[in-house]
Structure formats: C-alpha cells, structure tokens
Amino acid sequence: MVCIKGSGQAAQCEVRRARQGEVRGRKRKTNKKDIIKQYRKLIAVLPNICSKTKVSKQSVVEEAIIYIEELQKQLLNNVEKQEECENWENRKTNKSDEENL
C-alpha cells in the first residue's frame, strides 16, 4: 500500500506501522525472556557454577563445554567397561563349552 499524505490511507498506514512496531517489540521481549530462561536452566545443570553468584556468559559457556567433554569421557569409559565385561563373560562361556566337549 502506498501512503499518500492527506488521504485516509495515510492514516491507515501509520496505524499499521505502529502495530507492526509493537508486534516486533513484543517478539523481541519474548525472545529475550526465552533466552534468559534457557540460560538459567543451563546454569542450574552445571555443577561448577553456583547459580546465586554472578558469572559472565563466557564463563558459563566455557564451563558447559568442559562439563560436556567430561560427560563424554565418562560415557566412553562406561561403554569400554561394559564391552570388557561382555568379552570376559563370552570367554568364560566359551571355556565352559570347550570343557563340556
């Protein structure tokens, strides 16, 4: 729609622009609130950060990376231990089968 000064359409254009600005402003506020909410959740699950103290966003991200790497190492260790247990049980079963022959 083209806005022409002195016409009724110009007033409609102004109203529409104002509404669009309000909608954008609400979206920004909502997005910011969501980001803050997610950020607080992240802080809550990081064991090395006390959520009551003020911490920079960079520190939170660095701690999150370190924590994820630690969890990955623990997971790999658990998988390796599980595989070792299964291999040991398989060897034990194979020996008993051979002795029965």
Side-chain angles (χ1 to χ4, degrees):
M1 174 186 286
V2 177
C3 295
I4 303 169
K5 288 187 177 181
S7 70
Q9 289 180 345
Q12 288 176 344
C13 287
E14 292 301 319
V15 170
R16 188 174 295 149
R17 284 187 193 134
R19 286 183 186 155
Q20 288 173 346
E22 290 173 9
V23 170
R24 282 190 209 115
R26 276 189 250 133
K27 284 183 181 179
R28 279 190 212 122
K29 286 181 183 177
T30 303
N31 288 340
K32 189 172 183 177
K33 285 180 184 178
D34 288 341
I35 291 170
I36 291 170
K37 192 179 193 181
Q38 296 301 323
Y39 180 73
R40 287 183 181 151
K41 283 183 181 180
L42 178 61
I43 289 173
V45 297
L46 294 174
N48 294 336
I49 293 183
C50 178
S51 59
K52 294 179 182 174
T53 59
K54 203 168 189 180
V55 182
S56 72
K57 290 177 183 166
Q58 179 181 355
S59 296
V60 170
V61 171
E62 288 172 352
E63 285 298 322
I65 292 169
I66 291 168
Y67 185 55
I68 290 168
E69 288 172 346
E70 288 176 13
L71 291 174
Q72 287 175 331
K73 287 178 187 176
Q74 289 177 9
L75 180 63
L76 286 174
N77 287 336
N78 288 343
V79 168
E80 288 173 358
K81 285 180 184 178
Q82 182 67 32
E83 287 175 354
E84 287 175 8
C85 288
E86 288 173 0
N87 288 339
W88 184 79
E89 287 177 2
N90 288 340
R91 283 186 291 208
K92 186 177 176 184
T93 305
N94 287 342
K95 279 186 179 181
S96 64
D97 288 344
E98 288 175 2
E99 289 175 359
N100 290 334
L101 291 175

